[in-house]
Amino acid sequence: MIRVLIADDHPVVRQGLRTFLEIQEDIGVVGEAADGAEAVALTESLAPDVLLLDLRMPVLDGLGALAELSGRDVRVIVLTSVSDRGDVAPAMRAGAAGFLYKDVDPAALVRAIHAVHSGQVLLAPEAAEAMLSGPAERERPEHAAALTDREREVLRHIAAGRSNREIARALVVAEKTVKTHVSNVLMKLGVQDRTQAALYAVRHGLS
């Protein structure tokens, strides 16, 4: 059962999401938050697997909530009605595992929840286009030149959403060895986590 927390300041949106998600056999809604601060507090107390997070909320907005949740064991899908392309990169840098718009097909939302829960990074086509066409900012493609062939291979697996254990099985090496490779990849690319590494791989054609 995938435990989902819904964070949105519109009660009708929260109720609609809850009603749809609770008819899924393997998804359970553990709570609802009306603002970013409540989302952070409920994440701490309820320990959801996936957080559906609106960006525009009172008290603490979605980006602020993402910053507060940095390092927590929760996968966050930004679910917003705002089509500002400039929101995508900051949200993904702040730790979101997915970025979708509220007009997403319900079945696609369910697939997205399963995808990010399994470790993948998922963006709506418009959000992916914004990431790939936007400025690279601190990312520098020459950083990839420092990667060894094995580290590039590990990066491709990261971009595919695979866990260290899955990568270890694919490469027929110890999981501890994979952890070392992942650490080296993050350091050489100048990124903070696997999500940013995956986005780097997509942006620079390394996936």
Side-chain angles (χ1 to χ4, degrees), residues 111-197:
R111 290 194 297 270
I113 291 172
H114 283 95
V116 300
H117 182 250
S118 68
Q120 298 179 47
V121 176
L122 191 144
L123 294 89
E126 301 90 342
E129 182 183 354
M131 285 293 298
L132 294 173
S133 63
E137 298 176 353
R138 291 192 302 271
E139 293 180 0
R140 301 176 64 181
E142 60 266 27
H143 289 175
L147 299 178
T148 65
D149 289 341
R150 178 47 61 92
E151 287 165 355
R152 284 173 175 265
E153 194 171 6
V154 168
L155 178 59
R156 285 193 291 272
H157 284 290
I158 292 174
R162 298 189 177 98
S163 67
N164 285 356
R165 180 172 298 179
E166 291 170 329
I167 297 172
R169 285 200 297 264
L171 300 182
V172 195
V173 297
E175 190 172 345
K176 183 177 180 180
T177 301
V178 173
K179 289 181 179 178
T180 299
H181 287 317
V182 171
S183 296
N184 289 340
V185 167
L186 299 184
M187 179 185 66
K188 290 180 179 181
L189 295 185
V191 297
Q192 296 180 345
D193 55 36
R194 299 169 75 96
T195 298
Q196 292 181 6

